Amino acid sequence: MADDTAVGYENILVEVSAPIATITLNRPKVLNALSPDLIREVNEALGELDADSNVRAVVLTGGARVFAAGADISDMADRTAVDQLQRDQTGRWAGIAAFSKPLIAAVNGYALGGGCELALMCDLIIAGDSARLGQPEINLGIIPGAGGTQRWPRTAGKHAAMEVMLLGAPVTARRAYELGLVNKVVPAEMTITAAQRIARQAAEKAPLAARMAKEAVLKAFETPLAEGLAVERKSFYFLFSTEDQKEGMHAFLEKRRGVFKGK
Ligand code: DAK
């Protein structure tokens, strides 16, 4: 994607301002409810941005007022279990979780249900003080379907996870910060620029090292320690085959700032 382009999707806006890009969920009338088309577009955009070597970090936001009020209830209300199984919704969300570059959520207002799960799939979360994160699925007679029951307890612990899952009430930005769910709370009008600033910081780092670091950290949630340590070690050795490792270490020795090419 070219610089500073708003690429034409129907449910999202994508702005590339190399070395970062910003994806904005854009269904304001329904509080960015995550229709299948919106999720497909987020996946497609992330696929393109992953392949674009000019883009090194991405901000995902819902804009100034709301992140996302969850999956589109009007789309789900009359579906059967077999419908749900056959539409491979899980596969569509997996593409988002698999994005290989730093992905930073900028959350204002509600991040509920699938909206909260989408934020939790990101690598960092910057929350505006208006943010409310929660899993209200219990109020609809269902449970989270995009990782909420797994990612909440891994980050916030069992009891906080049970509280949001069983009572269906969201937590404030401040509480989410205390629980370790969000990295930083800022005034709501600064959320997106704060996230973009952090994305630019991440974009200055060595891209292959960032990719390996991200993979290794995510492995920690899926594997026993010995296996995770083996992944880390192999990635560590691999990075000594990159130009960026030579650049980074020589730049340090020469007392200058490293310039990384992702090679
Ligand atoms: N879906 C559809 N429309 C929604 C919506 C949603 N999730 N949330 C809000 N809207 C619509 C409202 O219907 C309303 O539309 P109109 O009446 O104007 O036509 C408009 O957005 C504004 O909403 P409100 O009038 O309700 O606004 P309020 O400020 O009064 O309340 C609220 C805001 C966020 C508290 C409220 O809208 C609310 O409770 N929304 C529902 C939140 C919710 O229950 N979310 C969880 C949905 S279930 C899966 C992956 C993921 C999922 C499932 C499967 N697989 C991979 C298998 C995820 C499931 C979910 O997220």
Side-chain angles (χ1 to χ4, degrees), residues 29-31 33 69-73 76 89-90 110 112-114 136 140 145-146:
K29 287 190 184 144
V30 287
L31 309 185
D72 195 325
I73 298 170
M76 290 188 295
Q89 240 179 319
T90 310
Y110 289 114
L112 300 180
L140 302 171

Side-chain angles (χ1 to χ4, degrees), residues 42-198:
V42 171
N43 241 327
E44 279 176 23
L46 285 175
E48 284 186 43
L49 297 170
D50 223 4
D52 184 344
S53 58
N54 294 316
V55 172
R56 293 189 175 181
V58 172
V59 170
L60 178 64
T61 184
R65 203 166 60 94
V66 65
F67 186 71
D72 195 325
I73 298 170
S74 63
D75 174 71
M76 290 188 295
D78 295 318
R79 290 199 180 268
T80 65
V82 175
D83 290 338
Q84 287 292 69
L85 182 71
Q86 285 178 338
R87 31 199 329 230
D88 188 29
Q89 240 179 319
T90 310
R92 263 181 252 136
W93 287 70
I96 296 166
F99 184 62
S100 77
K101 300 175 185 178
L103 181 59
I104 296 148
V107 177
N108 281 326
Y110 289 114
L112 300 180
C116 184
E117 292 169 303
L118 184 57
L120 294 183
M121 283 180 211
C122 295
D123 302 313
L124 284 85
I125 304 179
I126 308 305
D129 50 15
S130 64
R132 298 288 179 273
L133 292 89
Q135 304 291 158
E137 287 89 341
I138 194 97
N139 299 326
L140 302 171
I142 58 170
I143 66 167
T149 63
Q150 302 305 300
R151 292 198 174 94
W152 268 87
R154 279 168 163 78
T155 306
K158 171 183 161 185
H159 295 103
M162 288 295 188
E163 185 183 321
V164 288
M165 305 294 152
L166 297 180
L167 304 182
V171 299
T172 61
R174 179 58 48 196
R175 176 101 194 279
Y177 176 77
E178 286 162 7
L179 290 169
L181 281 169
V182 310
N183 296 81
K184 197 171 184 174
V185 180
V186 298
E189 63 277 12
M190 291 172 58
T191 315
I192 296 171
T193 45
Q196 288 171 330
R197 197 174 317 120
I198 287 170

